[in-house]
């Protein structure tokens, strides 16, 4: 048997539903993707959205929230019937404001995923503390390391790692995974006959 489940490792130890490509296929596919940071709109709005599209949607939602709030104030004219003055409750604009914030958070998450897919990045799809390894805690959308105290303003435990890859791990069946130093140290004790090779820095 292989010394670790590639898909489970990529997903932080949780096996994904269904089947997917092997690690070698995944690595080759990522290295061949073009325009990872490009925000060009997809044709006819199909396919994966870009961070720019989400940011644009966020801006439109914010603008609509402001327009609704302004209209609500205009409806408070004393000459209008009471039923009309209260026809547009404040929670309408507040809901739009919350929606805009969530859209912005989605744009940030997508941008981090794209950055993590850049060739030369760690391919593990769960984060660790770059210094201490799997020592993270997360709460309310933030995460921190319980050992060194480093913190991040997003849930790093559920985000792709994206740290610079420094090791190539190979199991006894030839399966490979490219990981950062922290992930390399984490899996080193699980090699069971495999190899952990330092990648050239130049």
């Amino acid at each position: 048997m292989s010394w670790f489940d590639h898909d489970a490792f990529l997903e932080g130890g949780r096996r994904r539903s269904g089947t997917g490509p092997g690690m070698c296929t995944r690595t080759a596919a990522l290295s061949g993707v073009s325009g990872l940071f490009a925000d060009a709109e997809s044709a006819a709005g199909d396919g994966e959205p870009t961070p720019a599209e989400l940011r644009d949607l966020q801006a439109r939602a914010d603008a609509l929230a402001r327009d609704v709030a302004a209209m609500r104030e205009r409806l408070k004219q004393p000459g209008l019937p009471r039923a009309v003055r209260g026809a547009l409750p404040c929670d309408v604009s507040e809901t739009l404001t919350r929606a805009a914030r969530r859209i912005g958070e989605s744009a940030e998450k997508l941008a981090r995923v794209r950055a993590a897919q850049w060739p030369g990045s760690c391919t593990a799809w769960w984060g660790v503390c770059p210094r201490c390894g799997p020592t993270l805690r997360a709460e309310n959308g933030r995460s921190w390391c319980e050992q060194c105290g480093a913190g991040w303003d997003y849930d790093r435990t559920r985000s792709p790692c994206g740290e610079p890859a420094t090791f190539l791990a190979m199991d006894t069946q030839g399966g490979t995974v490219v990981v950062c130093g922290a992930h390399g140290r984490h899996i080193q004790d699980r090699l069971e006959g495999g190899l952990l090779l330092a990648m050239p820095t130049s």
Side-chain angles (χ1 to χ4, degrees), residues 21 40 48 65 83-84 89 91 98 104 111 120 125 138 156 164 172 193-194 197:
E48 181 183 299
V84 175
D91 59 357
R98 288 194 298 270
W125 282 74
R156 190 176 174 90
T172 55
L197 307 174

Side-chain angles (χ1 to χ4, degrees), residues 24-25 44 53 64 78 88 91 93 106-107 109 138 141-142 148 160 163 174 180-181 184 188 191 199:
C24 293
T25 303
E53 287 175 308
L64 182 58
L88 196 57
D91 59 357
S93 57
S106 298
K109 291 178 180 178
R142 299 177 62 86
C148 69
E163 295 290 330
C180 66
Q188 192 168 19
L191 288 175
M199 297 175 61

Side-chain angles (χ1 to χ4, degrees), residues 44-171:
D46 295 331
E48 181 183 299
T50 66
E53 287 175 308
L54 286 168
R55 287 192 293 268
D56 178 67
L57 183 60
Q58 177 190 14
R60 285 185 280 140
D62 272 327
L64 182 58
R66 292 192 297 270
D67 290 344
V68 169
M71 187 61 68
R72 179 174 177 271
E73 293 301 316
R74 292 175 62 188
L75 284 173
K76 292 180 179 179
Q77 299 297 325
L80 292 173
R82 179 177 299 178
V84 175
R85 294 200 303 269
L88 196 57
C90 62
D91 59 357
V92 174
S93 57
E94 292 173 355
T95 299
L96 287 168
T97 299
R98 288 194 298 270
R101 183 172 62 250
R102 295 297 297 270
I103 294 170
E105 292 171 355
S106 298
E108 293 177 5
K109 291 178 180 178
L110 180 57
R112 282 195 290 271
V113 168
R114 287 193 162 201
Q117 291 174 331
W118 189 253
S121 298
C122 178
T123 53
W125 282 74
W126 53 286
V128 295
C129 173
R131 179 185 301 175
C132 307
T135 54
L136 298 182
R137 287 283 304 276
E139 186 176 349
N140 297 326
R142 299 177 62 86
S143 54
W144 66 94
C145 175
E146 293 186 300
Q147 290 191 11
C148 69
W152 295 266
D153 61 356
Y154 63 96
D155 187 349
R156 190 176 174 90
T157 65
R158 298 186 179 183
S159 300
C161 179
E163 295 290 330
T166 55
F167 289 100
L168 173 67
M170 179 181 298
D171 64 20

